[in-house]
Amino acid sequence: MMPLSRLAGILIPAMAFLSYLRPETWKPCTEVVPNISYQCMEVKLYKIPDNIPSSTKNLDLSFNPLRHLGSHSFSNFPELRVLDLSRCEIQIIEDDAYQGLNHLSTLILTGNPIQHLAPGSFSGLSSLQKLVAVEINLPSLENFPIGHLKTLKELNVAHNSINSSKFPEYFSNLSNLEYLDLSNNQIQNIYRKDLQVLHKIPLLNLSLDLSLNLIKFIQPDAFKELRLHKLTLRSNFDSINIMKTCIEGLAGLKVHKLVLGEFKNERNLDTFNKYALEGLCNLTVEEFQIAYFDEFSLDDIGTFNCLANLSAISLVSLYVVNLEKLPKDFRWQSLELINCKFEQFPSLSFYSLKTFVFTANHYSNTFVEFELPSLEFLDLSRNGLSYRSCCSQADFGTTRLKYLDLSFNDIIIMSSNFLGLEQLEYLDFHHSNLKQASDFSVFLSLTKLLYLDISYTNTRVTFHGIFHGLESLKILKMAGNYFQDNFLPDIFTELTNLTFLDLSTCHLEQVSQRAFDSLPRIQVINMSYNKLLSLDILPYQHLHSLQVLDCSFNRIKASNIQEPQRLPSNQTLLNLTQNDFACVCEHQSFLQWVKTRKRLFVEVEQMVCATPSDMQGLSVLSFRNSTCQMSKTVISVSAVFVFIVFLILVLVYKFYFHLMLLAGCKRYGGGECTYDAFVIYSSQDEDWVRNELVKNLEEGVPPFHLCLHYRDFIPGVAISANIIQEGFHKSRKVIVVVSQHFIQSRWCIFEYEIAQTWQFLSSCSGIIFIILQKVEKSLLRQQVELYRLLNRNTYLEWENNVLGQHIFWRRLRKALLAGKPWSPEAAADTENKEPEATASI
Amino acid sequence: MQGLTVALLAWALLHPHGGGGGDAWPTHTACKNGDLEVLYQSCDSLQDFGFSIDQCSKLLKPNINIRFGIILREDINELFLDVTLLTKGSSILNFSYPVCELDQPKFSFCGRRKGEQFYYAGPVNSPEFEIPKGEYEVLLELYNENHSTVACANATVICS
């Protein structure tokens, strides 16, 4: 046990030491922005941390068991703007708990089971604009001590147990209040006196949300002459009769926007009838929205008689049978039909309608023309519509259209080029299936268009004039389409005002050098998710406004942008992440350039190598130039070495005989023999002997001395004597020049036979045969001995080509050199040494 | 006694911040019937949650009632559900569904705040079909407008 206690003795100070070693003093919190923003969510803090800098503006202490907020709890943080105390198990907030937080604008207290709120709990919060007190067990507004928060704009007391609609007197102080959320409480009755205080607030611009309170009764005239910005009543009534009387109770209210309805998961009404909304006739409403009434049907126009003078109507998730019966004299300017069920596409005809939103509706498959002469804004997205001939003025009955959204529909056949719709500024087709869009200049008349989205429309661009006419266009999105041969041609010629271009996921492999030449104002080009193999900067070189070029998620191995002056502008940011960079010495200059110009790249750490295998997954920044220098020197040194060796070999070959001379001795020859070789030949071949043999052997290196009868035979002596005396006796070797004439000449045969005898008698000389020309075999057979010899021995053959002659001379020289003593001394030496060597063995 | 002290100290050194994640959450049963069993495990490191399915039958009905309870760690002004269905490790179905949208809050819990309780008991839309025999993995993730995870589950459906 002793060693264990000693270990404990070591560990305790070690732990203390380690706890001091921690470099981040704000632990256990997380630093989001240094000195400004700290995150301490769910880190088991039992008290307010004191190691956070006092300059902190944003502090999240949510999900910590703080339990109790004493006075001046946050005096260390005088600069706080946002304080999040969600679910901190706070039960008691004492007086002056937030004292000193003069700059705090947002206080979040969600989910605390508060039992005691001291009257001065919120004192000192002189700049508070937003107070979130959701789910804090608040029983009423009466005792909520916020009367002094004059700057308050947003008060959220949803999901509490407030059961009275009484707005306490202090609301008259809250003159800046814009939003009050009382939803999900237990308010059942609303009396006139409860709202009295709201009349005292001048310029009241309040949005009030009372959803999810099960309201039983609204006193008539309770809202009379009250002016609100927005009133939301969703899932408030559990019977249609209560709803009817309550809406009647709203009489006299002036509200900009009224929202009525239910939630999908909070259905209270079983039935619905048109009389329920009759009370709306006594309200002044600008915009009206009905949402998620299951049984609601617009079948009867009578339902909407009271609403004829509204400016905006929004119907969300309802069952609407048809709208054709709506009278034309309605003054609606905006109509929204979202996620409703229709039996067919409504064929509308309204003179006043400026905005028509018809999205995410069911059972309306085919587009039908309508007549809306004032229409400017049309959203027909997400309906799965098919559209047989798009688009012209006749389809919508208007020439004023500025905004047209046909995204997320089915097949749209482009058959006319927007005749009569020249005012269009926004046009969106994305994720619809466009047909014939690349057959002609579809957009030719849209000279005012600013925004065009044809992303994922299955368009195959084959016609280069597809975008002709779009001279004002600023934003073009065409991601997820196709190009012929996966090549981006020069199709943007008229888009001189374009600033944003999205070409991602277009399967592009190549880009025309002139593709972007006519886009002087372009700022963003997105080429990500294509199949580009290299980044050629040439097409972008003249784009002086370019700010972002995104080529991420391609297959780029390297780029030719090594020289900074070739970049379009200094402000350009390049995104080359997720490519297949080849980190090899071949692209060394590009990789080096990336390193030196890191700031040009987005997430440069994400630019990783794909090859070679040992660099795979590593950042291109980890590429070392030294590896290339090393291999470069190795390559150059070895190249030089190989060259030198080659040169030496060539020289050795060329000067082989010179070297033999040098290596041996200055002098050669000597001995008893005056001549190196005696040449036997027919006089018919004398030309060859004189011009070739003599010239090459006697004038070359090493110079041989030949014995030739016309030169070296001594006159006045018999030929045979000359042959023997001068020829054989004084020569080391015999060269026999065999030819047709040689065999026919008696002298030659005589000489040859003597040579053979001589060779037999003296061992010093050998016979070298040179076949000058092919000799007929029958002729050769006459000389049986010669024939046999030629069959057995190696002989030299004269050839007419240059290479053959070169080899011939080298072989002949070698043969002549064989057995030649380089100098008398050397010859003597070898003679003397041989017996010794033998003896030693 | 001294041995206990040492063990305690060693534990304290190894867990300086008192856990926080680390261990996986336990596996719960969402429903179990004769031929169908649905198990799930939270894959959110921050919290576990409760989930159950009322009708547990091979034959999926168009509206099945579920119960789901959680304490929100994020605001949910917008909420999206991603579902991935895997069998033998390969994905066979993948879809994303917008639960809450900013302009048109469909459910009463849309717009709830971090720290608030979120309890849903009610029907969910599902295609009407019979689950073929086999074992399936379902990955469910709820995330908000900032792509922060609200809830995440690895569910196993065993149909025999």
Side-chain angles (χ1 to χ4, degrees):
Chain A
M1 287 312 263
M2 272 309 283
L4 284 177
S5 64
R6 220 175 280 163
L7 183 62
I10 297 165
L11 279 173
I12 292 168
M15 230 172 83
F17 177 68
L18 280 173
S19 64
Y20 276 103
L21 259 186
R22 285 190 307 222
E24 303 99 341
T25 53
W26 52 83
K27 283 279 179 189
C29 301
T30 314
E31 191 178 60
V32 183
V33 180
N35 298 324
I36 301 290
S37 186
Y38 290 86
Q39 235 270 21
C40 313
M41 184 174 167
E42 208 161 15
V43 288
K44 302 208 166 146
L45 291 172
Y46 289 90
K47 61 181 187 65
I48 316 289
D50 49 14
N51 52 358
I52 305 277
S54 61
S55 57
T56 303
K57 291 185 175 172
N58 199 333
L59 183 59
D60 182 354
L61 292 169
S62 56
F63 293 87
N64 287 298
L66 298 177
R67 295 202 176 117
H68 178 177
L69 288 186
S71 65
H72 296 88
S73 287
F74 301 94
S75 53
N76 285 341
F77 310 106
E79 299 295 323
L80 272 187
R81 301 291 195 277
V82 179
L83 177 60
D84 189 346
L85 293 168
S86 302
R87 217 156 264 273
C88 286
E89 301 174 25
I90 298 167
Q91 297 178 358
I92 298 166
I93 301 181
E94 287 184 10
D95 279 329
D96 298 323
Y98 305 103
Q99 191 62 260
L101 299 182
N102 293 327
H103 300 290
L104 195 73
S105 68
T106 302
L107 175 60
I108 303 171
L109 288 168
T110 308
N112 286 294
I114 293 174
Q115 290 173 356
H116 176 72
L117 262 179
S121 299
F122 298 112
S123 64
L125 297 168
S126 56
S127 304
L128 197 69
Q129 295 190 355
K130 180 173 171 180
L131 176 60
V132 180
V134 176
E135 207 183 336
I136 61 158
N137 278 348
L138 194 67
S140 75
L141 286 173
E142 197 68 52
N143 296 321
F144 201 40
I146 55 166
H148 61 289
L149 301 175
K150 288 184 179 169
T151 49
L152 203 64
K153 283 187 175 171
E154 187 178 333
L155 176 61
N156 193 334
V157 287
H159 203 174
N160 280 301
S161 44
I162 299 169
N163 54 23
S164 161
S165 65
K166 171 79 177 159
F167 283 78
E169 276 303 311
Y170 63 73
F171 267 81
S172 56
N173 284 338
L174 309 181
S175 54
N176 289 306
L177 200 65
E178 289 174 359
Y179 179 79
L180 174 59
D181 190 346
L182 277 165
S183 63
N184 208 358
N185 277 290
Q186 287 155 20
I187 298 170
Q188 294 190 343
N189 304 310
I190 299 174
Y191 300 105
R192 182 168 169 76
K193 60 177 174 30
D194 292 345
L195 307 179
Q196 208 57 46
V197 67
L198 294 180
H199 290 279
K200 293 182 187 167
I201 306 174
L203 304 170
L204 184 69
N205 192 27
L206 185 67
S207 295
L208 182 61
D209 191 345
L210 288 167
S211 304
L212 296 161
N213 286 287
L214 209 58
I215 296 175
K216 304 274 186 205
F217 172 69
I218 296 178
Q219 189 178 19
D221 297 344
F223 287 88
K224 194 175 181 184
E225 285 169 11
L226 197 64
R227 188 184 288 273
L228 291 174
H229 179 71
K230 184 178 174 185
L231 178 62
T232 309
L233 292 166
R234 288 179 74 174
S235 294
N236 286 101
F237 312 107
D238 63 356
S239 89
I240 195 74
N241 288 330
I242 293 175
M243 181 173 171
K244 184 174 185 311
T245 52
C246 285
I247 287 177
E248 281 164 359
L250 295 175
L253 175 69
K254 288 181 180 173
V255 63
H256 177 72
K257 183 167 183 178
L258 177 66
V259 180
L260 280 181
E262 297 194 321
F263 290 103
K264 203 177 172 187
N265 58 325
E266 301 279 350
R267 303 252 190 242
N268 299 325
L269 291 177
D270 295 333
T271 54
F272 189 88
N273 67 50
K274 57 185 179 181
Y275 307 110
L277 296 178
E278 272 183 351
L280 290 175
C281 295
N282 303 319
L283 269 70
T284 312
V285 183
E286 292 282 308
E287 296 177 12
F288 179 49
Q289 183 178 64
I290 305 184
Y292 294 94
F293 272 132
D294 233 5
E295 304 296 321
F296 185 91
S297 161
L298 254 184
D299 216 6
D300 195 338
I301 315 147
T303 320
F304 280 96
N305 266 343
C306 290
L307 306 174
N309 293 331
L310 297 189
S311 68
I313 287 277
S314 170
L315 306 173
V316 182
S317 294
L318 304 174
Y319 189 83
V320 184
V321 175
N322 65 55
L323 290 167
E324 281 84 3
K325 292 183 196 166
L326 287 169
K328 292 187 178 186
D329 55 350
F330 272 29
R331 289 212 239 139
W332 297 350
Q333 294 193 354
S334 166
L335 174 61
E336 280 184 0
L337 300 166
I338 299 167
N339 195 25
C340 292
K341 296 187 181 84
F342 286 91
E343 281 170 0
Q344 62 185 50
F345 189 85
S347 172
L348 294 174
S349 138
F350 269 119
Y351 291 121
S352 56
L353 210 61
K354 287 183 179 167
T355 301
F356 182 36
V357 176
F358 183 87
T359 69
N361 294 301
H362 312 287
Y363 315 115
S364 47
N365 297 324
T366 312
F367 175 80
V368 181
E369 291 177 9
F370 46 71
E371 179 77 27
L372 299 169
S374 305
L375 201 66
E376 290 175 6
F377 185 105
L378 178 59
D379 181 354
L380 294 172
S381 62
R382 298 193 285 160
N383 293 311
L385 275 181
S386 53
Y387 198 156
R388 293 210 187 93
S389 73
C390 175
C391 302
S392 72
Q393 177 254 335
D395 298 334
F396 317 115
T398 175
T399 55
R400 298 186 188 173
L401 205 63
K402 287 184 176 170
Y403 181 106
L404 177 59
D405 186 349
L406 284 163
S407 58
F408 290 99
N409 279 301
D410 202 21
I411 293 173
I412 298 176
I413 301 171
M414 308 300 287
S415 60
S416 93
N417 49 8
F418 298 91
L419 268 178
L421 297 173
E422 290 83 5
Q423 302 298 316
L424 267 178
E425 290 173 3
Y426 179 103
L427 184 56
D428 191 347
F429 285 108
H430 77 276
H431 284 96
S432 294
N433 197 348
L434 282 191
K435 300 280 180 196
Q436 301 173 14
S438 183
D439 290 4
F440 59 106
S441 297
V442 185
F443 311 108
L444 193 64
S445 54
L446 299 180
T447 51
K448 291 183 180 171
L449 200 71
L450 302 173
Y451 179 102
L452 175 62
D453 189 346
I454 55 165
S455 310
Y456 299 95
T457 50
N458 245 333
T459 303
R460 187 176 190 86
V461 180
T462 48
F463 175 55
H464 288 200
I466 177 170
F467 297 123
H468 279 180
L470 295 170
E471 54 195 50
S472 306
L473 198 69
K474 288 192 170 162
I475 296 172
L476 174 59
K477 296 181 181 176
M478 52 183 307
N481 289 305
Y482 304 87
F483 285 89
Q484 201 172 24
D485 304 325
N486 297 331
F487 175 77
L488 178 66
D490 187 11
I491 52 170
F492 307 117
T493 40
E494 292 189 7
L495 310 183
T496 47
N497 286 305
L498 204 67
T499 57
F500 180 99
L501 177 61
D502 185 356
L503 284 163
S504 58
T505 328
C506 283
H507 311 88
L508 286 173
E509 287 168 8
Q510 277 184 306
V511 176
S512 159
Q513 301 277 324
R514 302 178 52 82
F516 308 113
D517 272 8
S518 48
L519 306 178
R521 302 211 168 102
I522 194 83
Q523 291 172 4
V524 178
I525 299 180
N526 185 351
M527 305 275 289
S528 59
Y529 293 94
N530 279 300
K531 296 175 180 171
L532 300 174
L533 288 173
S534 73
L535 174 60
D536 184 1
I537 208 69
L538 268 178
Y540 313 98
Q541 214 175 332
H542 313 289
L543 310 179
H544 298 294
S545 307
L546 193 66
Q547 287 165 8
V548 178
L549 174 60
D550 187 348
C551 290
S552 57
F553 293 93
N554 276 284
R555 298 170 184 176
I556 295 170
K557 284 193 163 69
S559 163
N560 64 352
I561 35 170
Q562 289 104 24
E563 301 130 56
Q565 65 267 27
R566 293 183 71 179
L567 265 181
S569 96
N570 286 333
Q571 272 78 48
T572 308
L573 269 179
L574 292 169
N575 188 344
L576 295 176
T577 56
Q578 305 293 337
N579 276 295
D580 297 342
F581 286 107
C583 298
V584 292
C585 296
E586 189 190 336
H587 306 305
Q588 187 196 354
S589 47
F590 167 68
L591 296 167
Q592 180 58 36
W593 185 74
V594 171
K595 273 195 203 174
T596 50
R597 303 294 299 269
K598 262 187 251 177
R599 282 157 177 251
L600 279 174
F601 296 91
V602 180
E603 292 180 352
V604 71
E605 300 81 15
Q606 298 299 315
M607 293 170 62
V608 292
C609 307
T611 52
S613 52
D614 60 319
M615 293 283 287
Q616 203 166 15
L618 293 176
S619 163
V620 293
L621 296 178
S622 60
F623 179 79
R624 295 268 164 272
N625 274 343
S626 51
T627 56
C628 287
Q629 279 159 4
M630 182 74 116
S631 63
K632 260 187 185 170
T633 39
V634 166
I635 288 168
S636 50
V637 163
S638 48
V640 168
F641 181 75
V642 166
F643 178 73
I644 289 173
V645 167
F646 180 74
L647 199 71
I648 288 171
L649 287 175
V650 167
L651 287 172
V652 164
Y653 183 78
K654 171 116 182 148
F655 298 104
Y656 176 74
F657 298 103
H658 300 74
L659 283 171
M660 293 288 270
L661 276 184
L662 277 172
C665 185
K666 301 275 183 289
R667 258 200 61 77
Y668 63 95
E672 319 163 15
C673 304
T674 318
Y675 306 107
D676 287 301
F678 171 51
V679 186
I680 306 172
Y681 62 97
S682 151
S683 54
Q684 299 282 329
D685 301 323
E686 192 163 314
D687 271 355
W688 182 81
V689 171
R690 276 175 189 250
N691 294 333
E692 296 286 345
L693 195 69
V694 174
K695 203 173 165 193
N696 268 295
L697 290 183
E698 296 204 335
E699 292 168 19
V701 177
F704 293 101
H705 198 195
L706 299 176
C707 176
L708 300 162
H709 68 86
Y710 64 88
R711 187 179 69 189
D712 299 317
F713 281 12
I714 300 158
V717 183
I719 293 176
S720 53
N722 254 335
I723 289 172
I724 293 170
Q725 281 294 321
E726 288 298 313
F728 293 113
H729 206 73
K730 291 185 179 171
S731 303
R732 285 189 304 110
K733 302 258 178 184
V734 176
I735 296 174
V736 182
V737 182
V738 183
S739 71
Q740 198 87 14
H741 310 293
F742 178 89
I743 294 169
Q744 285 163 352
S745 153
R746 279 192 306 113
W747 276 112
C748 289
I749 296 301
F750 169 72
E751 281 177 334
Y752 162 68
E753 275 167 1
I754 289 177
Q756 263 191 317
T757 322
W758 195 258
Q759 191 186 18
F760 181 70
L761 289 175
S762 96
S763 53
C764 80
S765 69
I767 302 174
I768 300 165
F769 292 100
I770 295 171
I771 307 289
L772 199 59
Q773 51 189 217
K774 288 281 180 202
V775 181
E776 273 181 44
K777 285 203 171 168
S778 56
L779 212 62
L780 201 59
R781 281 208 186 98
Q782 294 170 2
Q783 295 295 321
V784 181
E785 278 304 305
L786 184 64
Y787 177 69
R788 270 192 202 154
L789 214 72
L790 284 180
N791 269 347
R792 276 206 308 272
N793 281 3
T794 313
Y795 53 85
L796 289 167
E797 211 167 327
W798 176 251
E799 286 183 44
N800 285 325
N801 59 55
V802 180
L803 185 67
Q805 288 180 5
H806 177 81
I807 292 166
F808 173 87
W809 291 120
R810 286 190 75 87
R811 287 178 73 192
L812 184 56
R813 284 203 177 97
K814 260 192 164 168
L816 284 174
L817 276 173
K820 173 180 176 128
W822 291 110
S823 65
E825 296 84 3
D829 276 357
T830 44
E831 273 168 22
N832 291 338
K833 272 176 190 168
E834 265 171 12
E836 281 172 29
T838 329
S840 71
I841 294 166
Chain B
M1 188 61 207
Q2 279 169 326
L4 192 73
T5 321
V6 172
L8 206 73
L9 278 170
W11 181 87
L13 271 177
L14 288 170
H15 299 85
H17 308 304
D23 294 334
W25 298 106
T27 303
H28 308 284
T29 306
C31 87
K32 189 172 181 179
N33 205 331
D35 47 8
L36 186 72
E37 189 176 2
V38 180
L39 305 166
Y40 74 93
Q41 185 184 27
S42 169
C43 45
D44 181 2
S45 59
L46 285 175
Q47 64 178 331
D48 201 357
F49 61 88
F51 175 69
S52 75
I53 304 171
D54 283 4
Q55 303 96 341
C56 199
S57 162
K58 276 170 76 171
L59 205 69
L60 272 186
K61 297 201 172 105
N63 275 323
I64 45 174
N65 281 314
I66 61 153
R67 291 158 201 272
F68 175 67
I70 197 170
I71 289 175
L72 292 172
R73 254 68 176 178
E74 300 285 342
D75 290 358
I76 50 167
N77 288 317
E78 289 177 67
L79 187 66
F80 306 93
L81 173 68
D82 274 9
V83 180
T84 310
L85 179 62
L86 300 144
T87 178
K88 289 166 193 158
S90 57
S91 161
I92 51 172
L93 184 74
N94 215 332
F95 79 94
S96 190
Y97 173 76
V99 182
C100 294
E101 287 166 294
L102 205 55
D103 294 338
Q104 323 294 339
K106 194 186 289 181
F107 296 98
S108 58
F109 52 78
C110 295
R112 291 224 169 148
R113 304 184 155 271
K114 171 183 168 186
E116 226 176 326
Q117 275 183 28
F118 171 3
Y119 177 71
Y120 177 76
V124 290
N125 291 334
S126 76
E128 193 173 0
F129 74 103
E130 190 182 334
I131 306 171
K133 277 187 183 177
E135 194 175 318
Y136 308 93
E137 294 277 314
V138 188
L139 303 179
L140 299 141
E141 194 191 357
L142 283 168
Y143 56 92
N144 74 351
E145 60 269 30
N146 304 322
H147 277 268
S148 306
T149 304
V150 174
C152 167
N154 275 331
T156 310
V157 179
I158 303 163
C159 185
S160 53

